[in-house]
Amino acid sequence: MTSRRDPPPVDGRESREARVTRLLAGRTIAMVGMMGAGKSSIGRRLAARLGLPFIDADAEIEEAANATITEIFEQHGEAYFRDGERRVIQRLLDGAPKVLATGGGAFIQPETRAAIQAGAISIWLKAGRDLILARVRRRTNRPLLRTDDPAAVVDRLIAERYPVYAEADIHIQSRDVAHDVVIDSIFEALDEYLGDEASGKVER
C-alpha cells in the first residue's frame, strides 16, 4: 500500500512502505505511551497504510469483561484490571499480525512489557505534558485522572513511566500536527530500525 507521501517508485525500486512491510515479516506493531499520546488515532491510520488490522487493547478488555475500564477499576481495583490486561494483550500478540494500541499502563507492567518485547515491534509515542493535559481534559473515561488535580497525576505518571517507555524499540514524538506527519516519522523510524535489525545491528 502506498500513500500520497510515498508514491509508487517509477524506477523499480522498492517503496519505503513496501520495504517496511517486508521487513516486519508478519510481526505485530504495538503502540505504547501515555493516555492522550495518540496511540489509537495514529495506530489506526498506521494500520491502514500497512494493510493490517487495528486493535485497541482497552476495547478488547472491555468486551471480554463486559464492562468499561472505569467500571473494572471501580469494582475490582487496578491489580485485577492489570491481570486481565496482561492476558488479553498476550492473546492478541499470539494472533495474526496487527497494529495494537495498548493502554497507558500496559507497558509498565513487567510481564506485559516482556510479552510485547518478545512478540512485537514496540513504538513509544512520546507526548509532552501540555499536549497530554489538553487531550485528556476532553475525555471523562480516564480512571487514574478522576481526581481534583489531574495535572499532578500526569506529572507523577510521566516521572514514573517515561523511563520504562524508553525501553520500547522505537521512539516517536507525538505532536499536535496532521496525523500523516507523525505516521511518516514512524515509517522513517521503522525503515531504519528494521534495516538495522536485518543487518545485525539490532539484537532482539
Side-chain angles (χ1 to χ4, degrees):
M1 180 181 294
T2 58
S3 75
R4 61 182 177 81
R5 295 179 180 273
D6 190 14
V10 295
D11 56 4
R13 290 184 299 175
E14 191 175 32
S15 71
R16 170 169 280 163
E17 292 185 10
R19 185 165 59 252
V20 165
T21 299
R22 173 174 58 80
L23 292 172
L24 275 173
R27 287 175 290 180
T28 285
I29 292 175
M31 312 295 293
V32 306
M34 281 279 284
M35 62 188 92
K39 301 183 297 292
S40 293
S41 56
I42 294 295
R44 187 172 286 106
R45 289 165 174 80
L46 176 63
R49 282 176 58 168
L50 285 167
L52 292 173
F54 170 78
I55 300 292
D56 186 301
D58 280 354
E60 292 288 314
I61 293 165
E62 290 182 335
E63 182 176 347
N66 194 30
T68 68
I69 302 297
T70 298
E71 289 170 344
I72 298 169
F73 265 75
E74 290 176 346
Q75 295 171 15
H76 303 287
E78 184 174 359
Y80 178 92
F81 169 78
R82 295 301 175 194
D83 183 60
E85 178 181 58
R86 174 187 56 78
R87 287 184 279 108
V88 167
I89 287 177
Q90 184 64 69
R91 170 175 60 80
L92 293 170
L93 291 171
D94 289 341
K98 61 184 67 67
V99 175
L100 173 65
T102 64
F107 199 70
I108 305 305
Q109 311 307 310
E111 287 186 43
T112 304
R113 181 167 68 255
I116 291 171
Q117 289 170 328
I121 302 294
S122 53
I123 298 177
W124 174 23
L125 277 183
K126 183 178 181 181
R129 174 185 186 271
D130 291 344
L131 182 61
I132 291 171
L133 283 170
R135 288 177 174 174
V136 299
R137 282 179 176 139
R138 304 171 196 160
R139 306 285 294 276
T140 59
N141 61 338
R142 311 287 189 180
L144 295 179
L145 296 183
R146 292 197 164 193
T147 172
D148 292 334
D149 193 356
V153 175
V154 168
D155 288 340
R156 174 177 61 81
L157 292 175
I158 286 174
E160 293 173 355
R161 292 179 174 183
Y162 278 27
V164 183
Y165 291 148
E167 296 183 29
D169 298 316
I170 292 170
H171 302 177
I172 297 293
Q173 190 67 41
S174 180
R175 48 208 193 274
D176 197 12
V177 295
H179 286 122
D180 273 343
V181 175
V182 178
I183 293 169
D184 285 341
S185 296
I186 290 174
F187 269 102
E188 183 177 352
L190 276 169
D191 193 8
E192 181 178 358
Y193 178 86
L194 294 170
D196 286 348
E197 183 186 62
S199 64
K201 296 179 182 178
V202 174
E203 294 185 5
R204 287 185 60 82

